[in-house]
Structure formats: structure tokens, C-alpha cells
RNA sequence: GGUCGGAUGGCCGAGUGGCUAGGCAGUGGUCUGCAAAACCAUCUACACCGGUUCGAAUCCGGUUCCGACCUCCA
């Protein structure tokens, strides 16, 4: 089999993927911070790494995929001045902070389900791993890379950098980082501005807090990922993923923590998905283009001209490579919607094609071309372009311009099944409801309408069509008879 | 301001030196009681200015614009 190559941020190159253990793959992806409604920014990494997860499984690996839930202390998206947002929200609503976290965790899961994102193998929470986090801090202190000040513990980046490379992932130099740190307000406890918190003392009004050897407080935000990846995947594992915005400082700090505690660099491959813009702008509350996933699914946002099915969002994301930025707009999404429908119509058409003795067109290269694109750092847009080339062949075959043998039809079915369904997870929305109950009824109605048409009783035929239309059922007359479907 | 990445046809979006990416829209056809849909064919490109090369969207330099990160905090 051909080599599967992935882009490794650590080296800046595409590398052949070779797991530490030949048969199994361990991967960790930074999950959501559950302080608010899931939005588009959550969809991209979830879907990117879902594709990777599915592909690795398809390749025959036993995959353990850990994606965390961060439910400890939070920050709102932009134009907000930090602070513990779960705590603040909880106070405002008179809720226990965990009620807030749990509410949004549930929302996140619902959205992921709609997007057909497979569940990770383990989905640990930061709050459920306080003991492990405290133990890791102790270990880092014991190894001399952290210090305690006034009930908080900080990672000593300068000391660490003497024997390690802080900046190995983000290619930053510590001197530049020192230079760039603006003059700090004097009350910082940190020895150096580049140091980061492993444990923060909780101020009296801070309601999310846990006991520790250093007093009541809460863990620093980089720590949970190091702790939980280590607990479930080991000190060394295969892939660590997340958004590009996390490269620095989050993932850089993770590497530092793991090296400081275990002398191991955690992941072998670091993969990062690029960001999303909306009509060319970044998404932000202050710009009025902050759109939640529910709003996409329901079409309930001023900027949206219509609702978009979760599969349209998923398909749209796959039309771009994961390391490119992607721009959302109504035009682009509507184009994606039509393309997706075309793809699925062709899959249906393929299943109805009557096989001929011999094919009049050579389709033998499609499988390897698709595989090659997928193996080239998950180039989903190229795979899709080949699938659409196949769509064209299927449609022309239906029109009688080509013949396809039974073998070739089966080959096409296999490719669509592998890519469209198994790996890309683009399930056909029309098939997931209980339409079968209605089938008999609808075929009876359409039969009556066909008879009216034969009798040139257009009034009755149109009445049926218009009446069903008002019931949200669309009738289309095709060469092979009328079809019906729910309107989107 | 610093570091890094990007700028492709009406809209998205692949593509790293010569060969049609693909989707949507547009245009022309086919089908059709009407409507809608569907199908086929097909046009428009590589931000700007220089340079390297037989040849550049692709390499090099500069310019403009855009994005991410650079901070307490996830």
C-alpha cells in the first residue's frame, strides 16, 4: 500500500505516517471549552480530525482517539476581557458552574451528532482529572522547572529553555518572546513574562476551585491536555491535533510540560487545521457575524439567507483542504448544497444503472487517484473532484453515452461507499427518516396523478402537485416517472 | 510593532516550473402539458511591480491587502 503522508507542524514537512506501534494509533485532539453555544469554530477541527479518525480506522489501525472537554475556567471569544466565564455565567444565572459546563457539553454533543462526527474513544474532562493534574505539577516542581508563589505555581520557561527548546513547535525564539512582552503591570508573581501558570490561586469570588498542596485554586489551561493525553495515551503517542490558533502558546506549553515532567515530547506528529472566515472576515461577536451551529442548521441568523443542513456544512468543509483558511458565505454554502445533492443523486443513479457486457470507458484509475489524494495529507477536495468526475460518467452513462460493465459499476459503488460514506461521513439526509411508512401512500397518490396526466386532466394533476407542495412535499416529473421528496 | 501564513476566473476552492482540478453561477442545448428539477456541452483566472528561466499561478526580491499568534485567561 501507498504511504500515508501527513503534515507535521513540528518539522514543517509532510511526513510518512508511521505509528509508534505498528497496528494501533493513538491520537489526541483539543476539544471545546464549554462556556457557550457550539459554533463554526468548533466544527472545523472536529470534522478534520473525524476524517483522520475514520481514515485511520479504514486503513485497519486500531485507533484510540481522545478529545477533551475543557470545563474549568474560561474566556469568551473576542473583544472580551478574560476572566472565568463559566464562573461568571454561573453567578449571573445562579447556577452551579458545572451546570453551565454540562449544559454546553450537551449542546456540543448534539451538534457533533448532527454533523455526523463520530464519538472519540475517550472524552475526558479537565475537572475530572484534578488529582492527575496536581500530580503532574508536583513532578514538574520536583524536576526543577516550576516554582510556587503566593499559592500559584508557574512554569519556569527560561530555566526550561536552558536545557530544552521552548519554541520547538511554533519556531519562536525565547528572546523575541521576552522582547515582545509589553511592560507588565507590576503585580505579577511571575519571574519572567514568558512563564505560564500551572496552578492559579483562586480569588475569593472565584467559584470554580479545588484544593491543592498550594491552597484552593484551579489548574492552568495548558495542563489538562498534557495530563490527560499522558494518562490515556502514554508519555509518547502518535498524533496531537487542534486548530492553528493553538500552536502557540497552548501546544508549545504542552510540549514543555511533558518534557519537564516526563522528558518525553508527547506527540510524534502535530497536526493543525486552519481557521474559518465568514464573508472574508473573522468570526467575532463584535462583528455581528458570530453564527452558532444551531443557527446554521435552523437558518436563524441575520446573515443567513436560509437554513443549511449539517451535511452541507460538513461537505463544504471537505471541499477545502484542512490547512487552508475557508470562507463561509451564503453563495458558497448554497453552491455546496447543490453539489452535495448532485453527488447523492448520482449515487442513486449508479445503483439503478443497468450493467452492460463491456464498459466503453476506462474507469480503472479512479480508485488509485482517490487513494493517492487522500494519502497526500488528507486532500479531501481532490478526492471530491474525482468523485464529481465519476458523477459525470454515471450521468452520461444513464443518458446512453457510455456503457459500464457490472464490474465497473460495482467498482464505482465501492469508491463512493469508501469515500462519500465511510470516510467523509456524508450520509444521505433523505434516508435517515422513517419515510418508508409514507412510501405506499405516496406511490398511490402519484399513481392517481399519473392517471390524471394520461387523461390530460391537468387540473387534477396540478392540484395534487400544489397540494403536496403546501405540505412541504415536492413532486418532480422525470423521464422515468414522478418522484417525491421533502423540501429542505 | 514582531513572528508565521495567505492573495487563483462572478462566488467558493485545488494546483509548486510546461499538460482541462472540481463545485456553484452564467451561456448554449436535451427533456417537458405547464412548472420545477435533472442531464449534456461550454466561456471567464492566477493581487501589483520587477527579476530568474526556452518557459512562472507555480522560483527570487519589493509593494499593497488579509489572517493567525505574540497577554491575564480556556
Amino acid at each position: 500500500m501507498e504511504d500515508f503522508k501527513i503534515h507535521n507542524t513540528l518539522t514543517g514537512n509532510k511526513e510518512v505516517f508511521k505509528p509508534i506501534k505498528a497496528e494501533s494509533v493513538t491520537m489526541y485532539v483539543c476539544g471545546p471549552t464549554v462556556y457557550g453555544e457550539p459554533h463554526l469554530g468548533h466544527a472545523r477541527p472536529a470534522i478534520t480530525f473525524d476524517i483522520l479518525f475514520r481514515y485511520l480506522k479504514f486503513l485497519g489501525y486500531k485507533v484510540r482517539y481522545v478529545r477533551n472537554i475543557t470545563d474549568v475556567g474560561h474566556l469568551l471569544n473576542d473583544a472580551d476581557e478574560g476572566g472565568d466565564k463559566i464562573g461568571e455565567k454561573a453567578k449571573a444565572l445562579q447556577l452551579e458552574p458545572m451546570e453551565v459546563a454540562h449544559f454546553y457539553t450537551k449542546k456540543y454533543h448534539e451538534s457533533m451528532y448532527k454533523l455526523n462526527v463520530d464519538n472519540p474513544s475517550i472524552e475526558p474532562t479537565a475537572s475530572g482529572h484534578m488529582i492527575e493534574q496536581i500530580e503532574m505539577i508536583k513532578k514538574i516542581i520536583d524536576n526543577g522547572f516550576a516554582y510556587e508563589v503566593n499559592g500559584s505555581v508557574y512554569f519556569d520557561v527560561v530555566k526550561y529553555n536552558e536545557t530544552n527548546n521552548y519554541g520547538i513547535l511554533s519556531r519562536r525564539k525565547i528572546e523575541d518572546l521576552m522582547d515582545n512582552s509589553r511592560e507588565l503591570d507590576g503585580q505579577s508573581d511571575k519571574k519572567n513574562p514568558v512563564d505560564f501558570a500551572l496552578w492559579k490561586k483562586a480569588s475569593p469570588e472565584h467559584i470554580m476551585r479545588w484544593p491543592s498542596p498550594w491552597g484552593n485554586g484551579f489548574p492552568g489551561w495548558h495542563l489538562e491536555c498534557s495530563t490527560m493525553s499522558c494518562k490515556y495515551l502514554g508519555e509518547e503517542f502518535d498524533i496531537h491535533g487542534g486548530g492553528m490558533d493553538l500552536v502557540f502558546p497552548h501546544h508549545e506549553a504542552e510540549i514543555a510540560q511533558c518534557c519537564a515532567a516526563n522528558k518525553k515530547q508527547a506527540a510524534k506528529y502535530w497536526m493543525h487545521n486552519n481557521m474559518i472566515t465568514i464573508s472574508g472576515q473573522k468570526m467575532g461577536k463584535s462583528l455581528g457575524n458570530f453564527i452558532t451551529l444551531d443557527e446554521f442548521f435552523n437558518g436563524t441568523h441575520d446573515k443567513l439567507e436560509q437554513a443549511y443542513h449539517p451535511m452541507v456544512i460538513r461537505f463544504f468543509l471537505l471541499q477545502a483542504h484542512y490547512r487552508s483558511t475557508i470562507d463561509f458565505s451564503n453563495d458558497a454554502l448554497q453552491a455546496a448544497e447543490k453539489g452535495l445533492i448532485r453527488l447523492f443523486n448520482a449515487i442513486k443513479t449508479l445503483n439503478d444503472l443497468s450493467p452492460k457486457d463491456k464498459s466503453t470507458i476506462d474507469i480503472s484509475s479512479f480508485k488509485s487517484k482517490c487513494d493517492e489524494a487522500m494519502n497526500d495529507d488528507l486532500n479531501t477536495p481532490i478526492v471530491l473532484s474525482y468523485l464529481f468526475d465519476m458523477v459525470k460518467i454515471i450521468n452520461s452513462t444513464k443518458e446512453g453515452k457510455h456503457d459500464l460493465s457490472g464490474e465497473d459499476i460495482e467498482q464505482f459503488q465501492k469508491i463512493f461507499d469508501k469515500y462519500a460514506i465511510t470516510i467523509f461521513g456524508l450520509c444521505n439526509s433523505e434516508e435517515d427518516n422513517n419515510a418508508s411508512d409514507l412510501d405506499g401512500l405516496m406511490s398511490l397518490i402519484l399513481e392517481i396523478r399519473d392517471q390524471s396526466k394520461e387523461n390530460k386532466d391537468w387540473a387534477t394533476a396540478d392540484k395534487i402537485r400544489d397540494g403536496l407542495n403546501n405540505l412541504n412535499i415536492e413532486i418532480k416529473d422525470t423521464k422515468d416517472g414522478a418522484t417525491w421528496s421533502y423540501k429542505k
Side-chain angles (χ1 to χ4, degrees):
Chain A
M1 205 205 90
E2 199 193 333
D3 287 332
F4 174 36
K5 284 194 219 126
I6 54 176
H7 182 269
N8 189 354
T9 309
L10 204 52
T11 58
N13 294 318
K14 277 185 212 171
E15 297 174 8
V16 175
F17 175 68
K18 280 207 184 102
I20 295 164
K21 290 182 190 161
E23 314 259 295
S24 61
V25 175
T26 42
M27 63 186 269
Y28 187 96
V29 172
C30 292
T33 51
V34 283
Y35 63 78
E37 296 282 335
H39 54 78
L40 216 40
H42 293 112
R44 173 98 112 146
I47 288 174
T48 297
F49 293 103
D50 185 47
I51 299 296
L52 178 62
F53 183 37
R54 287 163 179 264
Y55 190 49
L56 289 168
K57 283 190 287 188
F58 184 88
L59 292 176
Y61 293 112
K62 182 174 185 287
V63 187
R64 185 182 294 161
Y65 172 23
V66 177
R67 189 185 63 202
N68 66 301
I69 295 280
T70 298
D71 57 355
V72 175
H74 297 280
L75 165 82
L76 276 189
N77 190 283
D78 68 312
D80 282 294
E81 64 300 333
D84 176 354
K85 291 297 176 181
I86 286 186
E88 284 176 19
K89 208 152 200 165
K91 264 192 261 180
L93 301 172
Q94 301 240 316
L95 297 169
E96 180 63 30
M98 274 307 153
E99 283 184 272
V100 176
H102 189 259
F103 177 80
Y104 289 115
T105 301
K106 192 161 162 278
K107 284 260 183 181
Y108 177 77
H109 285 151
E110 284 166 3
S111 293
M112 290 305 114
Y113 176 76
K114 286 180 187 165
L115 288 167
N116 203 21
V117 170
D118 273 359
N119 288 121
S121 323
I122 306 176
E123 200 169 29
T125 59
S127 64
H129 296 75
M130 275 306 145
I131 292 169
E132 290 88 342
Q133 293 186 75
I134 289 167
E135 288 306 310
M136 189 162 192
I137 295 171
K138 284 191 200 160
K139 214 165 160 186
I140 295 172
I141 294 174
D142 287 348
N143 289 345
F145 293 113
Y147 54 92
E148 187 204 344
V149 183
N150 294 329
S152 293
V153 181
Y154 295 97
F155 190 93
D156 193 337
V157 172
V158 173
K159 172 108 185 284
Y160 171 81
N161 195 56
E162 287 169 9
T163 48
N164 294 272
N165 181 1
Y166 186 78
I168 189 170
L169 183 72
S170 58
R171 289 184 190 77
R172 280 163 207 252
K173 293 196 178 73
I174 195 163
E175 307 86 63
D176 295 343
L177 292 169
M178 300 279 261
D179 289 348
N180 260 318
S181 307
R182 290 158 203 158
E183 70 270 21
L184 285 147
D185 29 358
Q187 55 262 67
S188 172
D189 294 328
K190 297 197 286 189
K191 278 204 243 173
N192 284 293
V194 288
D195 293 352
F196 57 86
L198 295 174
W199 187 265
K200 286 284 275 189
K201 180 183 184 171
S203 56
E205 62 276 14
H206 199 105
I207 52 179
M208 284 194 111
R209 50 167 68 209
W210 290 263
S212 83
W214 316 282
N216 284 336
F218 53 96
W221 75 281
H222 310 301
L223 192 63
E224 56 172 291
C225 291
S226 293
T227 302
M228 296 189 292
S229 62
C230 183
K231 172 158 182 163
Y232 297 112
L233 302 175
E235 293 177 359
E236 283 182 304
F237 53 97
D238 294 308
I239 299 170
H240 191 127
M244 267 180 191
D245 53 334
L246 297 179
V247 172
F248 190 89
H250 184 52
H251 291 162
E252 194 69 61
E254 273 187 55
I255 291 177
Q257 288 168 161
C258 290
C259 287
N262 307 322
K263 300 192 170 59
K264 304 257 174 68
Q265 218 177 68
K268 189 173 171 190
Y269 304 93
W270 290 78
M271 294 177 73
H272 294 96
N273 63 274
N274 214 319
M275 312 312 284
I276 276 165
T277 54
I278 294 183
S279 299
Q281 284 184 309
K282 69 171 170 178
M283 189 172 78
K285 289 223 164 87
S286 56
L287 296 168
N289 66 356
F290 185 91
I291 309 177
T292 68
L293 288 170
D294 271 348
E295 285 167 338
F296 271 103
F297 303 158
N298 302 324
T300 52
H301 189 283
D302 290 348
K303 301 265 185 199
L304 298 177
E305 288 167 9
Q306 60 168 80
Y308 297 99
H309 191 280
M311 279 311 114
V312 172
I313 308 284
R314 189 170 171 112
F315 175 78
F316 180 64
L317 285 170
L318 296 180
Q319 275 194 308
H321 188 261
Y322 77 92
R323 286 193 293 116
S324 299
T325 54
I326 187 167
D327 189 46
F328 274 70
S329 63
N330 281 291
D331 284 350
L333 283 169
Q334 284 161 18
E337 182 177 62
K338 286 179 184 167
L340 180 62
I341 289 169
R342 182 156 183 254
L343 184 69
F344 271 105
N345 283 342
I347 294 174
K348 273 190 221 152
T349 303
L350 176 66
N351 295 332
D352 297 339
L353 238 39
S354 44
K356 299 282 161 49
D357 293 342
K358 227 181 144 198
S359 294
T360 54
I361 185 167
D362 180 16
I363 62 131
S364 59
S365 63
F366 279 107
K367 185 188 178 296
S368 57
K369 284 197 288 193
C370 287
D371 292 346
E372 201 181 312
M374 199 62 189
N375 282 331
D376 184 16
D377 194 26
L378 305 172
N379 202 330
T380 56
I382 294 290
V383 175
L384 284 174
S385 79
Y386 291 134
L387 295 188
F388 278 105
D389 287 343
M390 288 160 59
V391 166
K392 195 166 278 183
I393 291 173
I394 290 165
N395 289 331
S396 331
T397 302
K398 194 194 172 199
E399 302 279 313
K401 289 178 180 159
H402 304 291
D403 291 340
L404 283 178
S405 68
E407 246 173 45
D408 281 350
I409 288 173
E410 203 179 313
Q411 174 74 268
F412 266 8
Q413 283 168 331
K414 273 188 192 160
I415 295 173
F416 278 119
D417 193 55
K418 172 176 175 181
Y419 283 104
I421 309 299
T422 306
I423 298 172
F424 292 177
L426 302 166
C427 62
N428 191 343
S429 57
E430 281 180 319
E431 283 168 9
D432 58 21
N433 51 37
N434 53 351
S436 59
D437 296 351
L438 275 174
D439 275 349
L441 183 60
M442 285 305 300
S443 54
L444 180 65
I445 292 171
L446 291 179
E447 206 179 302
I448 293 168
R449 181 162 172 273
D450 279 344
Q451 276 168 14
S452 311
K453 284 171 70 181
E454 268 177 46
N455 298 333
K456 300 209 189 295
D457 177 7
W458 311 127
T460 303
D462 289 350
K463 187 176 180 183
I464 291 172
R465 185 174 64 197
D466 296 343
L468 288 172
N469 194 52
N470 287 337
L471 298 170
N472 222 30
I473 293 172
E474 192 170 29
I475 301 301
K476 291 174 193 166
D477 290 326
T478 71
K479 259 189 272 185
D480 308 321
T483 64
W484 68 278
S485 60
Y486 289 109
K487 289 196 287 188
K488 53 183 190 213

